[in-house]
Short mmCIF file of all heavy atoms in Angstrom, two decimals:
data_model
loop_
_atom_site.label_atom_id
_atom_site.label_comp_id
_atom_site.label_asym_id
_atom_site.label_seq_id
_atom_site.Cartn_x
_atom_site.Cartn_y
_atom_site.Cartn_z
N GLY A 14 63.81 70.49 81.18
CA GLY A 14 63.98 69.10 81.46
C GLY A 14 65.11 68.94 82.46
O GLY A 14 65.77 69.90 82.88
N VAL A 15 65.40 67.70 82.85
CA VAL A 15 66.46 67.32 83.86
C VAL A 15 67.50 66.57 83.05
O VAL A 15 67.17 65.60 82.39
CB VAL A 15 65.90 66.58 85.01
CG1 VAL A 15 67.03 66.16 86.00
CG2 VAL A 15 64.78 67.31 85.73
N ASN A 16 68.78 67.05 83.16
CA ASN A 16 69.77 66.32 82.52
C ASN A 16 70.61 65.50 83.56
O ASN A 16 70.99 66.11 84.57
CB ASN A 16 70.73 67.30 81.78
CG ASN A 16 70.00 67.93 80.60
OD1 ASN A 16 69.41 67.29 79.76
ND2 ASN A 16 70.05 69.25 80.51
N MET A 17 70.90 64.34 83.09
CA MET A 17 71.75 63.37 84.16
C MET A 17 72.78 62.67 83.35
O MET A 17 72.43 62.15 82.27
CB MET A 17 70.73 62.45 84.95
CG MET A 17 69.61 63.20 85.60
SD MET A 17 68.58 61.97 86.42
CE MET A 17 69.54 61.58 87.94
N GLN A 18 73.92 62.68 83.90
CA GLN A 18 75.00 61.88 83.32
C GLN A 18 75.37 60.75 84.31
O GLN A 18 75.63 61.03 85.46
CB GLN A 18 76.26 62.74 83.02
CG GLN A 18 76.13 63.55 81.83
CD GLN A 18 77.51 64.02 81.37
OE1 GLN A 18 78.46 64.37 82.20
NE2 GLN A 18 77.64 64.26 80.05
N VAL A 19 75.43 59.58 83.80
CA VAL A 19 75.70 58.43 84.60
C VAL A 19 76.55 57.35 83.86
O VAL A 19 76.72 57.35 82.70
CB VAL A 19 74.37 57.65 85.07
CG1 VAL A 19 73.48 58.41 85.92
CG2 VAL A 19 73.54 57.17 83.74
N LYS A 20 77.27 56.56 84.70
CA LYS A 20 78.12 55.54 84.16
C LYS A 20 77.21 54.42 83.58
O LYS A 20 76.15 54.07 84.21
CB LYS A 20 79.00 54.88 85.28
CG LYS A 20 80.08 55.91 85.67
CD LYS A 20 81.08 55.20 86.62
CE LYS A 20 82.13 56.18 86.99
NZ LYS A 20 83.08 55.51 88.04
N CYS A 21 77.57 53.94 82.45
CA CYS A 21 76.76 52.80 81.92
C CYS A 21 77.64 51.93 80.97
O CYS A 21 78.74 52.23 80.68
CB CYS A 21 75.52 53.39 81.08
SG CYS A 21 76.01 54.37 79.62
N GLY A 22 77.03 50.79 80.56
CA GLY A 22 77.75 49.89 79.68
C GLY A 22 77.73 50.32 78.26
O GLY A 22 77.13 51.27 77.86
N ASP A 23 78.31 49.45 77.38
CA ASP A 23 78.38 49.71 76.08
C ASP A 23 77.03 49.90 75.30
O ASP A 23 76.87 50.58 74.44
CB ASP A 23 79.20 48.69 75.26
CG ASP A 23 80.70 48.66 75.82
OD1 ASP A 23 81.14 49.72 76.18
OD2 ASP A 23 81.32 47.62 75.57
N ASN A 24 76.08 49.11 75.80
CA ASN A 24 74.74 49.09 75.20
C ASN A 24 73.74 50.12 75.72
O ASN A 24 72.62 50.06 75.46
CB ASN A 24 74.14 47.69 75.31
CG ASN A 24 73.99 47.30 76.79
OD1 ASN A 24 74.37 47.97 77.63
ND2 ASN A 24 73.42 46.09 76.97
N GLY A 25 74.23 51.08 76.51
CA GLY A 25 73.38 52.13 77.09
C GLY A 25 72.71 51.66 78.31
O GLY A 25 71.87 52.52 78.90
N ARG A 26 72.89 50.51 78.86
CA ARG A 26 72.28 50.13 80.18
C ARG A 26 73.02 50.69 81.21
O ARG A 26 74.31 50.67 81.16
CB ARG A 26 72.21 48.62 80.29
CG ARG A 26 71.21 47.96 79.25
CD ARG A 26 70.60 46.69 79.57
NE ARG A 26 70.14 46.46 80.99
CZ ARG A 26 68.92 46.80 81.36
NH1 ARG A 26 68.02 47.33 80.63
NH2 ARG A 26 68.60 46.35 82.51
N LEU A 27 72.31 51.22 82.20
CA LEU A 27 72.95 51.92 83.42
C LEU A 27 73.55 50.82 84.33
O LEU A 27 73.04 49.68 84.42
CB LEU A 27 72.02 52.77 84.14
CG LEU A 27 71.79 54.08 83.64
CD1 LEU A 27 71.37 54.12 82.19
CD2 LEU A 27 70.65 54.76 84.40
N PHE A 28 74.63 51.21 85.04
CA PHE A 28 75.16 50.37 86.16
C PHE A 28 74.30 50.83 87.29
O PHE A 28 74.47 51.86 87.96
CB PHE A 28 76.65 50.71 86.42
CG PHE A 28 77.53 50.28 85.28
CD1 PHE A 28 78.57 51.11 84.98
CD2 PHE A 28 77.39 49.00 84.70
CE1 PHE A 28 79.34 50.77 83.84
CE2 PHE A 28 78.27 48.73 83.65
CZ PHE A 28 79.21 49.61 83.27
N GLY A 29 73.23 50.11 87.69
CA GLY A 29 72.28 50.60 88.68
C GLY A 29 71.11 51.07 87.99
O GLY A 29 70.79 50.75 86.81
N ALA A 30 70.40 52.00 88.66
CA ALA A 30 69.24 52.66 88.09
C ALA A 30 69.03 54.02 88.66
O ALA A 30 69.40 54.40 89.74
CB ALA A 30 68.01 51.73 88.46
N ILE A 31 68.20 54.78 87.94
CA ILE A 31 67.83 56.16 88.38
C ILE A 31 66.54 56.12 89.06
O ILE A 31 65.54 55.67 88.50
CB ILE A 31 67.84 57.14 87.22
CG1 ILE A 31 69.33 57.28 86.71
CG2 ILE A 31 67.25 58.47 87.67
CD1 ILE A 31 69.38 58.12 85.47
N THR A 32 66.43 56.63 90.38
CA THR A 32 65.23 56.54 91.05
C THR A 32 64.60 57.95 91.17
O THR A 32 65.24 58.96 90.75
CB THR A 32 65.55 56.08 92.51
OG1 THR A 32 66.38 57.02 93.12
CG2 THR A 32 66.19 54.60 92.51
N SER A 33 63.49 58.11 91.80
CA SER A 33 62.87 59.43 91.96
C SER A 33 63.63 60.30 92.82
O SER A 33 63.67 61.50 92.67
CB SER A 33 61.36 59.21 92.55
OG SER A 33 61.42 58.49 93.72
N GLN A 34 64.40 59.72 93.82
CA GLN A 34 65.34 60.48 94.61
C GLN A 34 66.46 61.10 93.80
O GLN A 34 66.70 62.30 93.96
CB GLN A 34 65.81 59.69 95.80
CG GLN A 34 66.73 60.51 96.79
CD GLN A 34 65.92 61.62 97.47
OE1 GLN A 34 65.06 61.38 98.20
NE2 GLN A 34 66.30 62.82 97.25
N ASP A 35 66.97 60.33 92.83
CA ASP A 35 68.04 60.89 92.09
C ASP A 35 67.51 61.98 91.13
O ASP A 35 68.31 63.02 91.05
CB ASP A 35 68.58 59.67 91.13
CG ASP A 35 69.17 58.50 91.89
OD1 ASP A 35 69.84 58.79 92.93
OD2 ASP A 35 68.98 57.35 91.48
N ILE A 36 66.33 61.82 90.66
CA ILE A 36 65.74 62.91 89.81
C ILE A 36 65.52 64.16 90.63
O ILE A 36 65.85 65.23 90.15
CB ILE A 36 64.41 62.38 89.14
CG1 ILE A 36 64.79 61.22 88.18
CG2 ILE A 36 63.73 63.54 88.40
CD1 ILE A 36 63.53 60.50 87.62
N ALA A 37 65.02 64.05 91.81
CA ALA A 37 64.79 65.17 92.71
C ALA A 37 66.16 65.85 93.02
O ALA A 37 66.17 67.19 93.10
CB ALA A 37 64.05 64.73 94.02
N ASP A 38 67.17 65.07 93.31
CA ASP A 38 68.49 65.71 93.52
C ASP A 38 69.05 66.41 92.39
O ASP A 38 69.64 67.54 92.46
CB ASP A 38 69.44 64.61 94.03
CG ASP A 38 69.14 63.93 95.34
OD1 ASP A 38 68.27 64.54 96.06
OD2 ASP A 38 69.61 62.89 95.66
N ALA A 39 68.85 65.85 91.18
CA ALA A 39 69.38 66.49 89.93
C ALA A 39 68.60 67.75 89.64
O ALA A 39 69.10 68.76 89.25
CB ALA A 39 69.31 65.49 88.71
N PHE A 40 67.28 67.68 89.87
CA PHE A 40 66.44 68.80 89.59
C PHE A 40 66.83 69.99 90.55
O PHE A 40 66.99 71.21 90.08
CB PHE A 40 64.92 68.48 89.86
CG PHE A 40 63.95 69.55 89.43
CD1 PHE A 40 63.58 69.65 88.09
CD2 PHE A 40 63.50 70.50 90.34
CE1 PHE A 40 62.75 70.63 87.67
CE2 PHE A 40 62.64 71.46 89.93
CZ PHE A 40 62.21 71.55 88.54
N GLU A 41 67.07 69.70 91.84
CA GLU A 41 67.52 70.80 92.80
C GLU A 41 68.88 71.37 92.41
O GLU A 41 69.05 72.53 92.42
CB GLU A 41 67.61 70.22 94.16
CG GLU A 41 68.01 71.24 95.23
CD GLU A 41 67.93 70.76 96.67
OE1 GLU A 41 67.78 69.47 96.86
OE2 GLU A 41 68.16 71.54 97.56
N LYS A 42 69.72 70.49 91.95
CA LYS A 42 71.10 70.83 91.54
C LYS A 42 71.03 71.87 90.30
O LYS A 42 71.67 72.91 90.25
CB LYS A 42 72.02 69.69 91.26
CG LYS A 42 73.37 69.99 91.09
CD LYS A 42 74.14 68.68 90.99
CE LYS A 42 75.69 68.89 91.03
NZ LYS A 42 76.39 67.61 90.89
N GLN A 43 70.23 71.53 89.36
CA GLN A 43 70.07 72.24 88.10
C GLN A 43 69.23 73.56 88.22
O GLN A 43 69.58 74.50 87.56
CB GLN A 43 69.50 71.37 87.02
CG GLN A 43 70.52 70.38 86.45
CD GLN A 43 69.88 69.48 85.52
OE1 GLN A 43 69.23 69.85 84.66
NE2 GLN A 43 70.23 68.14 85.68
N TYR A 44 68.20 73.47 89.06
CA TYR A 44 67.21 74.70 89.07
C TYR A 44 67.21 75.29 90.48
O TYR A 44 66.46 76.33 90.58
CB TYR A 44 65.84 74.17 88.65
CG TYR A 44 65.86 73.63 87.26
CD1 TYR A 44 65.79 72.31 86.90
CD2 TYR A 44 65.87 74.59 86.19
CE1 TYR A 44 65.79 71.88 85.62
CE2 TYR A 44 65.85 74.17 84.89
CZ TYR A 44 65.84 72.75 84.60
OH TYR A 44 65.89 72.38 83.34
N GLY A 45 67.79 74.81 91.49
CA GLY A 45 67.74 75.42 92.80
C GLY A 45 66.30 75.14 93.48
O GLY A 45 66.09 75.97 94.38
N ILE A 46 65.51 74.25 92.98
CA ILE A 46 64.23 74.02 93.59
C ILE A 46 64.16 72.69 94.18
O ILE A 46 64.41 71.67 93.54
CB ILE A 46 63.18 74.13 92.51
CG1 ILE A 46 63.19 75.56 91.95
CG2 ILE A 46 61.80 73.88 93.01
CD1 ILE A 46 62.28 75.76 90.63
N LYS A 47 63.85 72.67 95.47
CA LYS A 47 63.90 71.34 96.16
C LYS A 47 62.44 70.72 95.91
O LYS A 47 61.41 71.30 96.21
CB LYS A 47 63.99 71.52 97.68
CG LYS A 47 64.27 70.31 98.42
CD LYS A 47 64.79 70.56 99.87
CE LYS A 47 65.03 69.34 100.69
NZ LYS A 47 66.06 68.51 100.20
N LEU A 48 62.34 69.47 95.55
CA LEU A 48 61.17 68.77 95.27
C LEU A 48 61.22 67.46 96.18
O LEU A 48 62.21 66.77 96.31
CB LEU A 48 61.13 68.13 93.82
CG LEU A 48 60.65 69.12 92.78
CD1 LEU A 48 60.62 68.48 91.46
CD2 LEU A 48 59.16 69.55 93.07
N ASP A 49 60.09 67.17 96.72
CA ASP A 49 59.92 65.83 97.46
C ASP A 49 59.85 64.76 96.51
O ASP A 49 59.06 64.76 95.52
CB ASP A 49 58.60 66.02 98.30
CG ASP A 49 58.41 64.82 99.22
OD1 ASP A 49 58.99 63.72 99.06
OD2 ASP A 49 57.58 64.93 100.17
N LYS A 50 60.64 63.73 96.67
CA LYS A 50 60.69 62.58 95.80
C LYS A 50 59.27 61.97 95.70
O LYS A 50 58.97 61.36 94.56
CB LYS A 50 61.76 61.60 96.19
CG LYS A 50 61.35 60.81 97.48
CD LYS A 50 62.37 59.70 97.82
CE LYS A 50 61.93 58.90 98.97
NZ LYS A 50 62.77 57.70 99.19
N LYS A 51 58.44 62.12 96.68
CA LYS A 51 57.05 61.52 96.56
C LYS A 51 56.22 62.22 95.57
O LYS A 51 55.22 61.71 95.12
CB LYS A 51 56.40 61.56 97.90
CG LYS A 51 57.12 60.70 98.97
CD LYS A 51 56.49 60.92 100.36
CE LYS A 51 57.42 60.23 101.37
NZ LYS A 51 57.47 60.99 102.61
N LYS A 52 56.60 63.34 95.11
CA LYS A 52 55.87 64.10 94.12
C LYS A 52 56.25 63.80 92.65
O LYS A 52 55.66 64.18 91.71
CB LYS A 52 56.08 65.67 94.42
CG LYS A 52 55.71 66.06 95.75
CD LYS A 52 54.61 67.14 95.71
CE LYS A 52 54.39 67.58 96.96
NZ LYS A 52 52.97 67.70 97.36
N ILE A 53 57.29 62.84 92.53
CA ILE A 53 57.71 62.44 91.20
C ILE A 53 57.14 61.06 90.97
O ILE A 53 57.33 60.15 91.72
CB ILE A 53 59.27 62.41 91.25
CG1 ILE A 53 59.76 63.83 91.43
CG2 ILE A 53 59.72 61.85 89.90
CD1 ILE A 53 61.31 63.86 91.60
N VAL A 54 56.44 60.95 89.94
CA VAL A 54 55.69 59.72 89.59
C VAL A 54 56.61 58.98 88.55
O VAL A 54 56.78 59.29 87.39
CB VAL A 54 54.30 60.04 88.87
CG1 VAL A 54 53.72 58.69 88.58
CG2 VAL A 54 53.43 60.83 89.86
N LEU A 55 57.26 57.92 89.17
CA LEU A 55 58.12 57.12 88.37
C LEU A 55 57.71 55.63 88.49
O LEU A 55 57.81 55.13 89.45
CB LEU A 55 59.57 57.32 88.84
CG LEU A 55 60.76 56.75 88.01
CD1 LEU A 55 60.70 57.38 86.62
CD2 LEU A 55 62.12 56.94 88.63
N GLU A 56 57.08 55.11 87.47
CA GLU A 56 56.56 53.77 87.56
C GLU A 56 57.62 52.71 87.81
O GLU A 56 57.28 51.77 88.61
CB GLU A 56 55.63 53.47 86.23
CG GLU A 56 54.50 54.30 86.23
CD GLU A 56 53.68 54.05 84.88
OE1 GLU A 56 53.84 53.05 84.24
OE2 GLU A 56 52.93 54.93 84.57
N SER A 57 58.73 52.87 87.23
CA SER A 57 59.86 51.97 87.56
C SER A 57 61.13 52.79 87.37
O SER A 57 61.15 53.71 86.57
CB SER A 57 59.82 50.78 86.61
OG SER A 57 59.98 51.18 85.21
N PRO A 58 62.18 52.35 88.09
CA PRO A 58 63.46 53.15 87.98
C PRO A 58 63.91 53.07 86.47
O PRO A 58 63.82 52.22 85.74
CB PRO A 58 64.48 52.33 88.77
CG PRO A 58 63.55 51.63 89.80
CD PRO A 58 62.24 51.24 89.02
N ILE A 59 64.60 54.22 86.04
CA ILE A 59 65.13 54.35 84.72
C ILE A 59 66.47 53.54 84.66
O ILE A 59 67.43 53.73 85.49
CB ILE A 59 65.42 55.80 84.37
CG1 ILE A 59 64.06 56.62 84.38
CG2 ILE A 59 66.06 55.84 83.04
CD1 ILE A 59 64.22 58.06 84.34
N LYS A 60 66.63 52.61 83.69
CA LYS A 60 67.78 51.74 83.52
C LYS A 60 68.47 51.95 82.20
O LYS A 60 69.38 51.14 81.98
CB LYS A 60 67.35 50.22 83.77
CG LYS A 60 66.78 50.06 85.20
CD LYS A 60 66.37 48.58 85.36
CE LYS A 60 65.81 48.33 86.79
NZ LYS A 60 65.53 47.06 87.13
N GLN A 61 67.96 52.84 81.36
CA GLN A 61 68.55 53.03 79.98
C GLN A 61 68.98 54.48 79.80
O GLN A 61 68.20 55.32 80.33
CB GLN A 61 67.64 52.60 78.93
CG GLN A 61 67.52 51.13 78.71
CD GLN A 61 68.53 50.51 77.88
OE1 GLN A 61 68.98 49.44 78.15
NE2 GLN A 61 68.91 51.15 76.81
N THR A 62 69.89 54.74 78.99
CA THR A 62 70.09 56.12 78.52
C THR A 62 68.94 56.55 77.62
O THR A 62 68.20 55.75 77.07
CB THR A 62 71.41 56.17 77.81
OG1 THR A 62 71.52 55.40 76.66
CG2 THR A 62 72.65 56.01 78.72
N GLY A 63 68.67 57.88 77.46
CA GLY A 63 67.73 58.43 76.50
C GLY A 63 66.80 59.30 77.36
O GLY A 63 67.11 59.63 78.47
N GLU A 64 65.76 59.69 76.66
CA GLU A 64 64.80 60.63 77.20
C GLU A 64 63.54 59.83 77.83
O GLU A 64 63.05 58.86 77.10
CB GLU A 64 64.30 61.61 76.21
CG GLU A 64 65.28 62.78 76.02
CD GLU A 64 64.69 63.90 75.13
OE1 GLU A 64 63.56 63.73 74.63
OE2 GLU A 64 65.40 64.90 75.05
N THR A 65 63.11 60.24 79.04
CA THR A 65 61.91 59.70 79.48
C THR A 65 60.96 60.74 80.13
O THR A 65 61.54 61.73 80.74
CB THR A 65 62.34 58.73 80.86
OG1 THR A 65 63.25 57.75 80.38
CG2 THR A 65 61.06 58.05 81.36
N ASP A 66 59.68 60.75 79.73
CA ASP A 66 58.82 61.73 80.33
C ASP A 66 58.37 61.24 81.70
O ASP A 66 57.96 60.16 81.94
CB ASP A 66 57.52 61.87 79.51
CG ASP A 66 57.79 62.59 78.20
OD1 ASP A 66 58.69 63.45 78.22
OD2 ASP A 66 57.11 62.32 77.23
N VAL A 67 58.55 62.16 82.71
CA VAL A 67 58.22 61.90 84.04
C VAL A 67 57.34 62.86 84.62
O VAL A 67 57.39 64.12 84.36
CB VAL A 67 59.49 61.93 85.04
CG1 VAL A 67 59.29 61.58 86.48
CG2 VAL A 67 60.57 60.84 84.50
N GLU A 68 56.21 62.46 85.34
CA GLU A 68 55.25 63.34 85.91
C GLU A 68 55.70 63.88 87.34
O GLU A 68 56.04 63.16 88.17
CB GLU A 68 53.86 62.61 85.99
CG GLU A 68 52.79 63.61 86.45
CD GLU A 68 51.56 62.82 86.50
OE1 GLU A 68 51.46 61.68 86.29
OE2 GLU A 68 50.46 63.45 86.88
N PHE A 69 55.66 65.20 87.36
CA PHE A 69 55.90 65.91 88.65
C PHE A 69 54.48 66.34 89.18
O PHE A 69 53.94 67.13 88.56
CB PHE A 69 56.83 67.05 88.47
CG PHE A 69 58.23 66.69 88.30
CD1 PHE A 69 58.72 65.55 87.77
CD2 PHE A 69 59.21 67.64 88.70
CE1 PHE A 69 60.00 65.26 87.52
CE2 PHE A 69 60.55 67.34 88.49
CZ PHE A 69 60.99 66.26 87.92
N LYS A 70 54.15 65.89 90.45
CA LYS A 70 52.86 66.46 90.99
C LYS A 70 53.25 67.65 91.76
O LYS A 70 53.83 67.61 92.89
CB LYS A 70 52.19 65.34 91.84
CG LYS A 70 51.68 64.22 91.01
CD LYS A 70 50.88 63.20 91.86
CE LYS A 70 50.27 62.20 90.92
NZ LYS A 70 49.30 61.46 91.54
N LEU A 71 52.85 68.77 91.31
CA LEU A 71 53.29 70.07 91.91
C LEU A 71 52.22 70.48 93.09
O LEU A 71 52.80 70.79 94.18
CB LEU A 71 53.24 71.16 90.80
CG LEU A 71 54.10 70.84 89.63
CD1 LEU A 71 54.10 71.95 88.56
CD2 LEU A 71 55.65 70.67 90.09
N TYR A 72 51.10 70.45 92.82
CA TYR A 72 49.98 70.76 93.79
C TYR A 72 48.90 69.76 93.54
O TYR A 72 48.90 69.10 92.61
CB TYR A 72 49.56 72.21 93.71
CG TYR A 72 50.60 73.34 93.73
CD1 TYR A 72 51.19 73.79 92.69
CD2 TYR A 72 51.03 73.56 95.07
CE1 TYR A 72 52.19 74.84 92.83
CE2 TYR A 72 52.10 74.59 95.18
CZ TYR A 72 52.64 75.15 94.01
OH TYR A 72 53.60 75.99 94.17
N GLN A 73 47.98 69.72 94.50
CA GLN A 73 46.88 68.86 94.36
C GLN A 73 46.10 69.15 93.02
O GLN A 73 45.69 70.37 92.90
CB GLN A 73 45.84 68.93 95.48
CG GLN A 73 44.80 67.92 95.37
CD GLN A 73 43.96 67.80 96.69
OE1 GLN A 73 44.34 68.45 97.73
NE2 GLN A 73 42.85 67.15 96.70
N GLY A 74 46.05 68.28 92.13
CA GLY A 74 45.30 68.49 90.81
C GLY A 74 46.13 69.16 89.77
O GLY A 74 45.69 69.32 88.70
N ILE A 75 47.42 69.49 90.03
CA ILE A 75 48.28 70.19 89.12
C ILE A 75 49.53 69.32 89.10
O ILE A 75 50.24 69.11 90.02
CB ILE A 75 48.62 71.59 89.59
CG1 ILE A 75 47.36 72.45 89.69
CG2 ILE A 75 49.67 72.23 88.62
CD1 ILE A 75 47.61 73.88 90.13
N SER A 76 49.87 68.95 87.79
CA SER A 76 51.02 68.20 87.59
C SER A 76 51.66 68.69 86.30
O SER A 76 51.08 69.29 85.44
CB SER A 76 50.80 66.68 87.48
OG SER A 76 49.93 66.33 86.39
N ALA A 77 53.01 68.29 86.04
CA ALA A 77 53.64 68.63 84.74
C ALA A 77 54.57 67.51 84.37
O ALA A 77 54.97 66.75 85.16
CB ALA A 77 54.53 69.84 85.14
N LYS A 78 54.60 67.27 83.04
CA LYS A 78 55.43 66.28 82.43
C LYS A 78 56.80 66.89 82.23
O LYS A 78 56.98 68.06 81.67
CB LYS A 78 54.93 65.78 81.13
CG LYS A 78 53.68 65.03 81.26
CD LYS A 78 54.06 63.51 81.37
CE LYS A 78 52.62 62.76 81.30
NZ LYS A 78 52.81 61.39 81.81
N VAL A 79 57.91 66.28 82.73
CA VAL A 79 59.26 66.84 82.61
C VAL A 79 60.04 65.74 81.93
O VAL A 79 60.00 64.53 82.33
CB VAL A 79 59.87 67.15 84.00
CG1 VAL A 79 61.29 67.60 83.88
CG2 VAL A 79 58.99 68.19 84.69
N LYS A 80 60.80 66.20 80.96
CA LYS A 80 61.78 65.19 80.29
C LYS A 80 63.01 64.96 81.05
O LYS A 80 63.62 65.96 81.56
CB LYS A 80 62.15 65.69 78.94
CG LYS A 80 61.11 65.61 77.84
CD LYS A 80 61.65 65.67 76.43
CE LYS A 80 60.62 65.66 75.41
NZ LYS A 80 59.75 64.51 75.40
N VAL A 81 63.35 63.75 81.37
CA VAL A 81 64.54 63.40 82.01
C VAL A 81 65.48 62.84 80.96
O VAL A 81 65.12 61.71 80.40
CB VAL A 81 64.34 62.34 83.20
CG1 VAL A 81 65.63 61.96 83.81
CG2 VAL A 81 63.45 62.98 84.18
N ASN A 82 66.57 63.48 80.68
CA ASN A 82 67.52 63.09 79.66
C ASN A 82 68.76 62.40 80.35
O ASN A 82 69.47 63.14 81.01
CB ASN A 82 67.87 64.29 78.84
CG ASN A 82 68.80 63.82 77.60
OD1 ASN A 82 68.64 62.72 77.13
ND2 ASN A 82 69.75 64.69 77.25
N VAL A 83 68.94 61.17 80.05
CA VAL A 83 70.04 60.44 80.73
C VAL A 83 71.04 60.10 79.57
O VAL A 83 70.76 59.54 78.54
CB VAL A 83 69.52 59.06 81.26
CG1 VAL A 83 70.65 58.22 81.90
CG2 VAL A 83 68.43 59.25 82.27
N THR A 84 72.27 60.56 79.92
CA THR A 84 73.39 60.33 78.96
C THR A 84 74.52 59.61 79.67
O THR A 84 74.62 59.58 80.90
CB THR A 84 73.84 61.62 78.35
OG1 THR A 84 74.28 62.55 79.35
CG2 THR A 84 72.79 62.29 77.50
N ALA A 85 75.33 58.93 78.93
CA ALA A 85 76.48 58.24 79.42
C ALA A 85 77.57 59.23 79.79
O ALA A 85 77.93 60.18 79.12
CB ALA A 85 77.06 57.22 78.41
N LYS A 86 78.18 59.01 81.00
CA LYS A 86 79.34 59.80 81.55
C LYS A 86 80.50 59.30 80.74
O LYS A 86 80.78 58.20 80.71
CB LYS A 86 79.39 59.59 83.08
CG LYS A 86 80.30 60.56 83.63
CD LYS A 86 80.47 60.29 85.25
CE LYS A 86 79.31 60.88 85.90
NZ LYS A 86 79.43 60.84 87.35
N GLN A 87 81.29 60.25 80.29
CA GLN A 87 82.59 59.93 79.52
C GLN A 87 83.70 59.66 80.54
O GLN A 87 83.86 60.27 81.54
CB GLN A 87 82.98 61.06 78.70
CG GLN A 87 81.89 61.40 77.59
CD GLN A 87 81.58 60.29 76.72
OE1 GLN A 87 82.57 59.44 76.35
NE2 GLN A 87 80.35 60.01 76.36
#
């Protein structure tokens, strides 16, 4: 999965949102693999802490579900 730490309010709502570009950047930082943000299927930006299943389209007809785990930055 992809782990991301972000600033958020007391109720777990993010200040801003996590986009497909943010996920691509975090994936590259953690795994050293560059992904085009267009290959990440994100129906709407992530605005809450917690786990979200996100689809990565790897090749034509081949995709994978990846857990994106968002936690509050201390």
Side-chain angles (χ1 to χ4, degrees):
V15 178
N16 295 310
M17 304 180 77
Q18 282 195 330
V19 295
K20 290 185 178 182
C21 63
D23 293 335
N24 59 358
R26 289 204 46 87
L27 276 52
F28 296 134
I31 294 175
T32 65
S33 55
Q34 183 63 59
D35 298 324
I36 295 169
D38 293 343
F40 190 82
E41 182 177 5
K42 191 174 189 179
Q43 287 172 44
Y44 296 104
I46 299 169
K47 190 169 180 71
L48 276 179
D49 185 341
K50 71 176 185 173
K51 295 177 193 140
K52 303 241 183 226
I53 298 172
V54 180
L55 190 62
E56 292 177 18
S57 61
I59 299 171
K60 297 182 180 182
Q61 284 277 140
T62 56
E64 284 188 351
T65 304
D66 285 331
V67 177
E68 185 178 1
F69 285 26
K70 291 190 175 191
L71 304 174
Y72 302 101
Q73 187 170 349
I75 299 175
S76 62
K78 291 267 187 198
V79 177
K80 283 200 184 305
V81 176
N82 185 31
V83 180
T84 56
K86 190 181 281 188
Q87 301 299 323

